[in-house]
PDB file of all heavy atoms in Angstrom:
ATOM      1  N   ARG D  79      -3.394  39.320  32.922  1.00 95.00           N
ATOM      2  CA  ARG D  79      -2.021  39.502  33.024  1.00 95.00           C
ATOM      3  C   ARG D  79      -1.376  38.864  34.297  1.00 95.00           C
ATOM      4  O   ARG D  79      -0.253  38.497  34.432  1.00 95.00           O
ATOM      5  CB  ARG D  79      -1.560  40.999  32.956  1.00 95.00           C
ATOM      6  CG  ARG D  79      -1.677  41.615  31.648  1.00 95.00           C
ATOM      7  CD  ARG D  79      -0.863  42.847  31.579  1.00 95.00           C
ATOM      8  NE  ARG D  79      -1.456  43.912  32.381  1.00 95.00           N
ATOM      9  CZ  ARG D  79      -2.472  44.760  31.960  1.00 95.00           C
ATOM     10  NH1 ARG D  79      -2.943  44.583  30.848  1.00 95.00           N
ATOM     11  NH2 ARG D  79      -2.881  45.657  32.889  1.00 95.00           N
ATOM     12  N   HIS D  80      -2.326  38.690  35.240  1.00 94.00           N
ATOM     13  CA  HIS D  80      -1.827  38.164  36.546  1.00 94.00           C
ATOM     14  C   HIS D  80      -2.066  36.594  36.573  1.00 94.00           C
ATOM     15  O   HIS D  80      -1.714  35.984  37.540  1.00 94.00           O
ATOM     16  CB  HIS D  80      -2.581  38.732  37.634  1.00 94.00           C
ATOM     17  CG  HIS D  80      -2.049  40.195  38.004  1.00 94.00           C
ATOM     18  ND1 HIS D  80      -2.663  41.294  37.435  1.00 94.00           N
ATOM     19  CD2 HIS D  80      -0.968  40.545  38.583  1.00 94.00           C
ATOM     20  CE1 HIS D  80      -1.899  42.306  37.776  1.00 94.00           C
ATOM     21  NE2 HIS D  80      -0.924  41.900  38.523  1.00 94.00           N
ATOM     22  N   LEU D  81      -2.566  35.977  35.512  1.00 94.00           N
ATOM     23  CA  LEU D  81      -2.607  34.507  35.503  1.00 94.00           C
ATOM     24  C   LEU D  81      -2.022  33.964  34.184  1.00 94.00           C
ATOM     25  O   LEU D  81      -1.905  34.743  33.238  1.00 94.00           O
ATOM     26  CB  LEU D  81      -3.957  34.065  35.820  1.00 94.00           C
ATOM     27  CG  LEU D  81      -5.257  34.641  35.287  1.00 94.00           C
ATOM     28  CD1 LEU D  81      -5.532  34.022  33.917  1.00 94.00           C
ATOM     29  CD2 LEU D  81      -6.452  34.361  36.279  1.00 94.00           C
ATOM     30  N   GLY D  82      -1.606  32.792  34.252  1.00 96.00           N
ATOM     31  CA  GLY D  82      -1.146  32.160  33.038  1.00 96.00           C
ATOM     32  C   GLY D  82      -2.096  31.081  32.578  1.00 96.00           C
ATOM     33  O   GLY D  82      -2.626  30.356  33.347  1.00 96.00           O
ATOM     34  N   VAL D  83      -2.392  31.131  31.217  1.00 97.00           N
ATOM     35  CA  VAL D  83      -3.258  30.092  30.699  1.00 97.00           C
ATOM     36  C   VAL D  83      -2.615  29.329  29.598  1.00 97.00           C
ATOM     37  O   VAL D  83      -2.042  29.927  28.623  1.00 97.00           O
ATOM     38  CB  VAL D  83      -4.579  30.842  30.152  1.00 97.00           C
ATOM     39  CG1 VAL D  83      -5.595  29.794  29.752  1.00 97.00           C
ATOM     40  CG2 VAL D  83      -5.140  31.675  31.252  1.00 97.00           C
ATOM     41  N   ILE D  84      -2.660  28.017  29.641  1.00 97.00           N
ATOM     42  CA  ILE D  84      -2.248  27.146  28.532  1.00 97.00           C
ATOM     43  C   ILE D  84      -3.642  26.741  27.860  1.00 97.00           C
ATOM     44  O   ILE D  84      -4.407  25.985  28.487  1.00 97.00           O
ATOM     45  CB  ILE D  84      -1.517  25.936  28.977  1.00 97.00           C
ATOM     46  CG1 ILE D  84      -0.306  26.317  29.772  1.00 97.00           C
ATOM     47  CG2 ILE D  84      -1.154  25.129  27.776  1.00 97.00           C
ATOM     48  CD1 ILE D  84       0.368  25.209  30.518  1.00 97.00           C
ATOM     49  N   PHE D  85      -3.839  27.271  26.668  1.00 97.00           N
ATOM     50  CA  PHE D  85      -5.117  27.022  26.001  1.00 97.00           C
ATOM     51  C   PHE D  85      -5.057  25.671  25.331  1.00 97.00           C
ATOM     52  O   PHE D  85      -3.995  25.210  24.946  1.00 97.00           O
ATOM     53  CB  PHE D  85      -5.412  28.090  24.935  1.00 97.00           C
ATOM     54  CG  PHE D  85      -5.478  29.499  25.528  1.00 97.00           C
ATOM     55  CD1 PHE D  85      -4.266  30.269  25.590  1.00 97.00           C
ATOM     56  CD2 PHE D  85      -6.634  29.959  26.088  1.00 97.00           C
ATOM     57  CE1 PHE D  85      -4.350  31.557  26.092  1.00 97.00           C
ATOM     58  CE2 PHE D  85      -6.687  31.226  26.767  1.00 97.00           C
ATOM     59  CZ  PHE D  85      -5.492  32.086  26.696  1.00 97.00           C
ATOM     60  N   GLN D  86      -6.264  25.047  25.315  1.00 96.00           N
ATOM     61  CA  GLN D  86      -6.352  23.657  24.725  1.00 96.00           C
ATOM     62  C   GLN D  86      -5.877  23.727  23.254  1.00 96.00           C
ATOM     63  O   GLN D  86      -5.284  22.837  22.740  1.00 96.00           O
ATOM     64  CB  GLN D  86      -7.756  23.160  24.802  1.00 96.00           C
ATOM     65  CG  GLN D  86      -7.918  21.726  24.563  1.00 96.00           C
ATOM     66  CD  GLN D  86      -9.303  21.178  24.955  1.00 96.00           C
ATOM     67  OE1 GLN D  86     -10.153  21.907  25.303  1.00 96.00           O
ATOM     68  NE2 GLN D  86      -9.353  19.792  24.958  1.00 96.00           N
ATOM     69  N   ASP D  87      -6.286  24.807  22.588  1.00 95.00           N
ATOM     70  CA  ASP D  87      -5.880  24.921  21.124  1.00 95.00           C
ATOM     71  C   ASP D  87      -4.755  25.953  20.946  1.00 95.00           C
ATOM     72  O   ASP D  87      -4.600  26.522  19.962  1.00 95.00           O
ATOM     73  CB  ASP D  87      -7.135  25.365  20.319  1.00 95.00           C
ATOM     74  CG  ASP D  87      -7.753  26.651  20.841  1.00 95.00           C
ATOM     75  OD1 ASP D  87      -7.370  27.107  21.853  1.00 95.00           O
ATOM     76  OD2 ASP D  87      -8.626  27.163  20.129  1.00 95.00           O
ATOM     77  N   PHE D  88      -3.904  26.060  21.956  1.00 96.00           N
ATOM     78  CA  PHE D  88      -2.657  26.767  21.999  1.00 96.00           C
ATOM     79  C   PHE D  88      -2.823  28.327  21.822  1.00 96.00           C
ATOM     80  O   PHE D  88      -2.242  29.056  22.575  1.00 96.00           O
ATOM     81  CB  PHE D  88      -1.681  26.278  20.924  1.00 96.00           C
ATOM     82  CG  PHE D  88      -1.464  24.786  20.892  1.00 96.00           C
ATOM     83  CD1 PHE D  88      -1.160  24.229  19.669  1.00 96.00           C
ATOM     84  CD2 PHE D  88      -1.819  23.986  21.924  1.00 96.00           C
ATOM     85  CE1 PHE D  88      -1.011  22.859  19.583  1.00 96.00           C
ATOM     86  CE2 PHE D  88      -1.728  22.622  21.863  1.00 96.00           C
ATOM     87  CZ  PHE D  88      -1.298  22.026  20.715  1.00 96.00           C
ATOM     88  N   LYS D  89      -3.632  28.743  20.843  1.00 97.00           N
ATOM     89  CA  LYS D  89      -3.814  30.179  20.549  1.00 97.00           C
ATOM     90  C   LYS D  89      -2.508  30.901  20.560  1.00 97.00           C
ATOM     91  O   LYS D  89      -2.265  31.880  21.174  1.00 97.00           O
ATOM     92  CB  LYS D  89      -4.664  30.728  21.679  1.00 97.00           C
ATOM     93  CG  LYS D  89      -6.071  30.280  21.725  1.00 97.00           C
ATOM     94  CD  LYS D  89      -7.077  31.194  22.393  1.00 97.00           C
ATOM     95  CE  LYS D  89      -8.398  30.640  22.680  1.00 97.00           C
ATOM     96  NZ  LYS D  89      -9.094  30.209  21.437  1.00 97.00           N
TER      97      LYS D  89
END
Side-chain angles (χ1 to χ4, degrees):
Chain D
R79 286 198 293 273
H80 286 96
L81 38 88
V83 185
I84 304 169
F85 302 96
Q86 191 168 12
D87 55 354
F88 315 156
K89 293 204 191 296

